[in-house]
Amino acid sequence: QVQLVESGGGLVQVGGSLRLSCAASGRTFGSSAMGWFRQAPGKEREFVAGINWSSDISTYADSVKGRFTISRDNSKNTLYLQMNSLKPEDTAVYYCAARPGTSTSVYQATYRYSYWGQGTQVTVSS
């Protein structure tokens, strides 16, 4: 089992920045593909960004490409999402997810991930 805990969410103005963190338990983090997802009220959970286990591949949803950056620090068992130029449309609960394994792939589908955090709220106001 892998436990994931998100943090860093909050209220930010349009155009501002926020950095989300996801702390993972155990020693499996370094061999897991990781992803960030978000879900607005009444909406489906959607892929935001993903990074593979070796940190040499990352991918982003078109809606955040160029504004968000996913990264990981395996020594700290922590996943990050740097969010810049925030828009009201970015308002959602953000979740991190883990998929154990050493695949070089980056996964965008929710069913590919085995473990999920509880989420952290991001609110972007004008």
Side-chain angles (χ1 to χ4, degrees):
Q1 298 290 321
V2 176
Q3 186 174 4
L4 306 173
V5 180
E6 302 94 336
S7 63
L11 177 64
V12 66
Q13 300 91 343
V14 171
S17 297
L18 208 58
R19 190 194 196 195
L20 305 184
S21 298
C22 173
S25 66
R27 299 181 180 180
T28 60
F29 178 81
S31 58
S32 296
M34 302 293 296
W36 285 101
F37 293 77
R38 66 187 183 187
Q39 187 170 25
K43 302 296 189 297
E44 296 293 318
R45 188 169 300 186
E46 64 175 353
F47 173 80
V48 176
I51 188 168
N52 71 341
W53 73 275
S54 53
S55 300
D56 57 346
I57 301 175
S58 61
T59 190
Y60 301 88
D62 289 340
S63 59
V64 306
K65 191 172 298 183
R67 300 188 297 119
F68 292 8
T69 303
I70 188 172
S71 62
R72 64 194 298 168
D73 187 339
N74 289 351
S75 68
K76 298 180 179 179
N77 284 356
T78 303
L79 177 74
Y80 302 98
L81 184 67
Q82 179 65 47
M83 310 165 66
N84 298 326
S85 302
L86 283 163
K87 307 174 181 179
E89 304 92 278
D90 297 318
T91 296
V93 176
Y94 283 71
Y95 301 88
C96 69
R99 175 189 168 89
T102 56
S103 172
T104 58
S105 298
V106 176
Y107 304 97
Q108 300 186 26
T110 57
Y111 71 85
R112 296 288 191 179
Y113 292 88
S114 301
Y115 303 100
W116 294 84
Q118 83 290 344
T120 184
Q121 177 71 47
V122 172
T123 302
V124 184
S125 62
S126 59

